[in-house]
Amino acid sequence: MDLKKPGTLSAELLQILPMPVIVVDGNDCVVQANTEGLKLFSPPDGSKRDSWSLENLLDRDNLAKVKQKFSCLRRSGKQIKTEIRVQKDNKVTVYVLEFQLLGPDSEYILITANDITTTVELREQIGSLRKSFEPFFPRSVEENILFKRLNEAVMQSANTIVITDLKGNIVFANPKFEETTGYSFKEAYLKNPRILKSGDQPKSYYKELWQTISSGKVWKGEFKNRKKSGEFYWESATITPIKDSQGRVMEYLAIKEDITERKRIEEKLEQTLMEMEVSNWEYKRLNEDLKQEVERRKTVESELQLQKDLLQELNENLENQVRIEVKKNREKDELLLLQSRQAAMGEMIGNIAHQWRQPLNAIGLMVYDLTDAFRFGELDRDYVDKSESDIKLVLEHMSRTIDDFRNFFQPNKEKQYFPLAEVVKTSVSFLDASLRNSGIRVITDVNPDITLYGYSSEFAQVLLNLINNSKDAIAENQTEKPVIRISSQIKAGKAEVRVIDNAGGIPDEIMHKIFDPYFTTKEQGKGTGVGLYMSKTILERNMGGVIEARNTRTGAEFLIKIPTAGKE
């Protein structure tokens, strides 16, 4: 039966329970049952599920007993047990039914059944055999076949059977006792069963037990005991006083069943019931919260509409502001680029002056030599022709220098592939005279196989700017044995170009500002503050790269990371 009503248990939980379980409502109608429950409480053939009630499932005697327990349960709210006998296929099975409410205010009753047929049969057999053998005492009953059968039944019983004397000391225990407790009969002989006490049950519990059995009555209950290993377990016990022919109590017979697994399931059921109560309380609280939230949202919706109208107006104004700011930034970048090119042009003219200084000195010496030769009468056609040839060679060198600078700084119209090593070599050559005059040694270690894609003249402008910055820093700090090192490598699919000097490094307090526009540490008139900013802009916007700066032990290091052109 899969019925699921509010306050009942989940079908999944019912099906994992090993014992028969059914749930009935306030009209004593079955609303839930697991497979084992349906086997025990078989409904009549042809009956409809909605009409299954205890009157359909139980005979008159058992029904009256169950309904009487229902009344007690609904009055007290406490768990109640009863014993019934069910006959099927000419076989009588004895069950202990346990009844409990599914909640403090619930109308639903949970019924679980435990088969105690074996325990009852054994108890009845022992009682019957004792009465049968009483007339024959004190004859030796060990040799009697019936006694042997009784002995075999006791020794092979699936339940623990213990006999104690009037003081409660153990005088007999079957093998199941050792299997359950871990104590052998030899260890337990003449010991009190208190060796099994867990300490979780109060003294009053055991006091009531002794009052019951001492008065000659049968006691039924459950124990939480402790095995020899220290492990806890649960037992359902029936303790019966054994009396002589005059009705005097001689010994006590205890028949016990291990119900640890059932207790575990009951605890899980109890936990589930508690969780259901908590869930129900949380549901009610959530429902109240939802009501408040609905009211709050109604208020918020009207406010949101006002905010939406305001936001739309702000967005329209913001778009105009963005267009204005974009235009301003574009004009700003164009101005910075112009300033950067003008600064680069000034540096180029200075480098041309350095490159021409030596050839001009050579021409001056040649002219002076011609004048001197004329004064001393040494001037002839051959001397003039040779001097003319030497002067032409120097002038051609100076002309080539101008062409090299003009071609190098001519802006590229389209992106193109270019070898990194060639741009580095050319950039260093432009500054060669200026660097030699400053006593600066340039060391290059560039991979000749690295090819980049972009504007070679712009990348050269970046390198020239970094080299000039190092040259200025060396001059400012008066570095001894100045060196600028340019190296490259391929790492993680990118070309890494490093420019390192030994000029002492960049102060930590300005490191974060060096790429800002118009920021410079040079004296008035010696720096525009756009070089590093434009270098960063060229690398990021035009070549998809980045530039970083840090201090080494001896100076500054600038690292350029840029995607390769796939030809390395």
Side-chain angles (χ1 to χ4, degrees):
M1 236 178 140
D2 301 340
L3 297 176
K4 180 71 175 73
K5 295 187 177 182
T8 58
L9 302 177
S10 68
E12 292 80 8
L13 178 60
L14 280 178
Q15 291 304 327
I16 66 172
L17 299 177
M19 76 284 286
V21 179
I22 67 171
V23 178
V24 298
D25 60 15
N27 298 320
D28 298 341
C29 291
V30 178
V31 294
Q32 284 186 285
N34 64 358
T35 303
E36 296 298 322
L38 290 175
K39 290 180 181 178
L40 171 58
F41 302 101
S42 299
D45 294 334
S47 63
K48 296 181 179 180
R49 289 189 176 186
D50 294 339
S51 65
W52 289 356
S53 67
L54 293 181
E55 294 180 357
N56 304 123
L57 307 179
L58 299 173
D59 58 35
R60 186 177 5 178
D61 293 336
N62 287 329
L63 178 62
K65 185 184 297 186
V66 168
K67 288 208 169 191
Q68 189 271 332
K69 296 297 182 182
F70 276 7
S71 298
C72 296
L73 174 64
R74 289 191 170 105
R75 285 196 306 271
S76 65
K78 297 181 180 180
Q79 180 179 341
I80 295 179
K81 299 181 182 180
T82 190
E83 186 174 298
I84 67 170
R85 294 173 181 261
V86 178
Q87 183 170 351
K88 286 186 179 180
D89 302 327
N90 297 324
K91 180 182 178 182
V92 176
T93 307
V94 184
Y95 291 93
V96 171
L97 300 183
E98 295 185 15
F99 310 94
Q100 65 183 60
L101 295 174
L102 282 181
D105 300 321
S106 176
E107 66 172 352
Y108 297 94
I109 297 177
L110 175 70
I111 305 175
T112 57
N114 290 290
D115 187 349
I116 62 168
T117 306
T118 303
T119 303
V120 172
E121 289 178 350
L122 184 59
R123 186 176 65 210
E124 292 175 351
Q125 288 177 5
I126 292 175
S128 176
L129 287 174
R130 286 193 65 89
K131 289 180 181 179
S132 299
F133 291 141
E134 282 178 358
F136 301 96
F137 282 104
R139 293 177 57 187
S140 176
V141 296
E142 286 78 7
E143 296 179 1
N144 187 289
I145 187 63
L146 291 178
F147 183 84
K148 289 182 179 180
R149 288 176 61 187
L150 174 62
N151 182 63
E152 290 174 359
V154 170
M155 299 304 285
Q156 297 177 22
S157 173
N159 293 323
T160 299
I161 298 176
V162 176
I163 299 177
T164 69
D165 58 20
L166 291 176
K167 295 181 180 179
N169 297 321
I170 298 172
V171 295
F172 172 80
N174 69 342
K176 187 66 177 181
F177 173 84
E178 180 176 355
E179 180 184 336
T180 302
T181 66
Y183 290 98
S184 66
F185 173 60
K186 183 177 180 180
E187 291 174 311
Y189 182 63
L190 294 181
K191 297 281 196 314
N192 194 283
R194 68 172 61 95
I195 62 173
L196 303 175
K197 289 176 65 174
S198 64
D200 286 2
Q201 289 166 304
K203 292 182 179 180
S204 59
Y205 190 78
Y206 297 97
K207 183 178 180 181
E208 179 187 353
L209 182 157
W210 276 104
Q211 287 176 347
T212 301
I213 61 177
S214 298
S215 63
K217 298 178 182 178
V218 176
W219 181 90
K220 294 181 181 181
E222 296 175 351
F223 293 112
K224 182 180 181 182
N225 286 337
R226 188 193 300 269
K227 297 183 180 182
K228 183 180 179 180
S229 63
E231 179 184 356
F232 291 110
Y233 69 102
W234 281 90
E235 285 185 321
S236 174
T238 299
I239 303 178
T240 305
I242 303 175
K243 303 176 183 178
D244 60 12
S245 56
Q246 281 77 37
R248 292 173 298 185
V249 177
M250 300 172 57
E251 294 173 323
Y252 299 108
L253 170 67
I255 301 175
K256 299 186 285 183
E257 177 188 4
D258 190 331
I259 58 170
T260 305
E261 181 64 17
R262 178 167 65 82
K263 280 292 185 180
R264 184 189 68 79
I265 293 172
E266 287 178 354
E267 289 177 1
K268 188 172 182 180
L269 277 172
E270 184 177 352
Q271 181 181 0
T272 301
L273 291 174
M274 291 179 63
E275 290 174 354
M276 287 173 63
E277 290 180 11
V278 171
S279 298
N280 187 44
W281 176 81
E282 290 179 345
Y283 170 77
K284 291 181 180 178
R285 188 184 66 176
L286 180 61
N287 190 39
E288 292 298 323
D289 291 343
L290 285 175
K291 289 180 180 178
Q292 295 178 7
E293 181 66 15
V294 168
E295 294 299 323
R296 188 187 67 81
R297 289 194 177 187
K298 287 180 180 179
T299 304
V300 170
E301 282 178 1
S302 59
E303 295 178 357
L304 283 177
Q305 186 60 44
L306 294 176
Q307 294 293 334
K308 182 179 179 181
D309 296 339
L310 178 60
L311 182 60
Q312 184 175 356
E313 182 180 352
L314 289 175
N315 282 337
E316 292 174 357
N317 294 333
L318 182 60
E319 288 177 1
N320 292 331
Q321 290 294 325
V322 168
R323 282 194 292 269
I324 294 171
E325 290 300 322
V326 167
K327 183 179 179 181
K328 288 181 180 179
N329 287 335
R330 186 178 295 112
E331 293 173 351
K332 175 184 172 183
D333 286 346
E334 290 175 355
L335 177 60
L336 287 173
L337 182 59
L338 177 60
Q339 292 176 346
S340 176
R341 287 176 178 172
Q342 289 174 344
M345 186 64 69
E347 292 175 354
M348 180 189 74
I349 292 172
N351 288 321
I352 292 174
H354 280 291
Q355 295 285 35
W356 274 13
R357 185 171 289 115
Q358 184 176 355
L360 287 173
N361 288 337
I363 291 174
L365 289 173
M366 291 179 189
V367 172
Y368 177 80
D369 187 59
L370 282 172
T371 304
D372 194 52
F374 177 76
R375 182 183 302 121
F376 291 101
E378 297 176 355
L379 189 65
D380 57 15
R381 173 53 58 184
D382 290 339
Y383 200 98
V384 171
D385 290 344
K386 182 179 182 306
S387 297
E388 180 184 8
S389 176
D390 290 341
I391 291 172
K392 283 183 178 179
L393 287 175
V394 174
L395 291 174
E396 287 175 359
H397 171 72
M398 295 173 68
S399 179
R400 283 197 303 272
T401 300
I402 287 292
D403 290 338
D404 288 343
F405 274 91
R406 185 179 66 250
N407 293 334
F408 188 76
F409 282 95
Q410 184 175 1
N412 302 111
K413 294 181 180 180
E414 295 181 357
K415 288 186 177 181
Q416 59 185 3
Y417 294 102
F418 61 89
L420 173 63
E422 183 178 320
V423 175
V424 173
K425 180 180 178 182
T426 306
S427 300
V428 173
S429 69
F430 287 164
L431 301 174
D432 181 61
S434 176
L435 293 170
R436 280 191 284 104
N437 287 340
S438 300
I440 300 173
R441 185 161 60 102
V442 179
I443 300 173
T444 59
D445 181 16
V446 181
N447 187 338
D449 297 326
I450 297 178
T451 301
L452 303 181
Y453 182 70
Y455 303 107
S456 59
S457 60
E458 291 188 355
F459 190 74
Q461 184 179 343
V462 173
L463 290 177
L464 288 172
N465 184 56
L466 295 179
I467 295 171
N468 273 321
N469 284 348
S470 293
K471 184 188 74 169
D472 293 342
I474 288 171
E476 182 179 351
N477 294 314
Q478 299 180 355
T479 304
E480 296 183 2
K481 297 180 181 180
V483 176
I484 299 174
R485 177 182 294 273
I486 303 174
S487 63
S488 70
Q489 66 175 349
I490 296 293
K491 189 173 181 181
K494 291 186 177 182
E496 293 188 352
V497 182
R498 284 180 166 82
V499 179
I500 307 172
D501 61 44
N502 61 345
I506 303 168
D508 293 337
E509 61 270 17
I510 67 169
M511 178 68 79
H512 65 287
K513 299 180 181 180
I514 61 174
F515 291 108
D516 293 348
Y518 299 114
F519 177 79
T520 180
T521 59
K522 298 178 182 178
E523 296 178 8
Q524 183 71 27
K526 291 187 178 181
T528 62
V530 297
L532 287 178
Y533 171 75
M534 289 311 303
S535 297
K536 185 174 186 294
T537 302
I538 288 169
L539 291 170
E540 291 181 352
R541 292 187 182 180
N542 297 346
M543 303 192 72
V546 295
I547 183 170
E548 302 170 355
R550 72 180 186 93
N551 285 324
T552 64
R553 185 172 56 85
T554 59
E557 175 186 279
F558 285 87
L559 171 62
I560 298 172
K561 296 180 182 179
I562 190 168
T564 61
K567 294 187 176 183
E568 60 281 5

